[in-house]
Amino acid sequence: MKNENTGLERLARGFDNVETIDEYALDADSGELKLIKRRVTTKYVPPDLDAYKMLYGATNFDALTDEELQEEKVRLIKSLIETTKKQSKKE
């Protein structure tokens, strides 16, 4: 379930979405469609908390003490750093 390539994990971490829009026009001479304009946009999709909860289990943060919250914060930051390092090695 914790495969790094799953869409749910990607959604839980946030990602860049690349969208390409091509515009074509009919060439009067040849009668074929010809590419006139290509627009490439990159949009950042922020992390989704619900997806994170589904992957890593929901934690009732209201019931945790300040020390437990601090430990959870450190654990999550370490997990994020590890995931980022793994992604950069793949690229």
Side-chain angles (χ1 to χ4, degrees):
M1 180 168 111
K2 292 189 179 181
N3 184 359
E4 289 184 4
N5 295 326
T6 64
L8 189 60
E9 185 166 314
R10 207 173 144 217
L11 188 60
R13 285 183 295 174
F15 59 95
D16 289 327
N17 185 32
V18 179
E19 184 177 297
T20 304
I21 299 173
D22 296 334
E23 284 187 33
Y24 293 92
L26 193 58
D27 188 16
D29 296 334
S30 65
E32 296 180 8
L33 288 177
K34 190 174 183 178
L35 179 67
I36 356 179
K37 190 188 298 185
R38 174 173 283 160
R39 289 182 292 182
V40 179
T41 56
T42 303
K43 297 177 185 176
Y44 178 70
V45 178
D48 183 21
L49 186 58
D50 289 330
Y52 182 86
K53 286 179 182 179
M54 286 177 67
L55 272 177
Y56 300 108
T59 303
N60 185 3
F61 293 110
D62 294 334
L64 297 178
T65 65
D66 289 341
E67 292 85 20
E68 291 172 330
L69 285 171
Q70 189 64 27
E71 290 172 6
E72 181 69 10
K73 176 183 171 186
V74 170
R75 185 188 69 78
L76 290 173
I77 290 172
K78 286 180 182 178
S79 173
L80 181 62
I81 290 170
E82 282 181 29
T83 304
T84 306
K85 285 181 182 178
K86 288 179 184 177
Q87 273 188 339
S88 64
K89 286 181 183 178
K90 287 182 180 180
E91 295 172 358

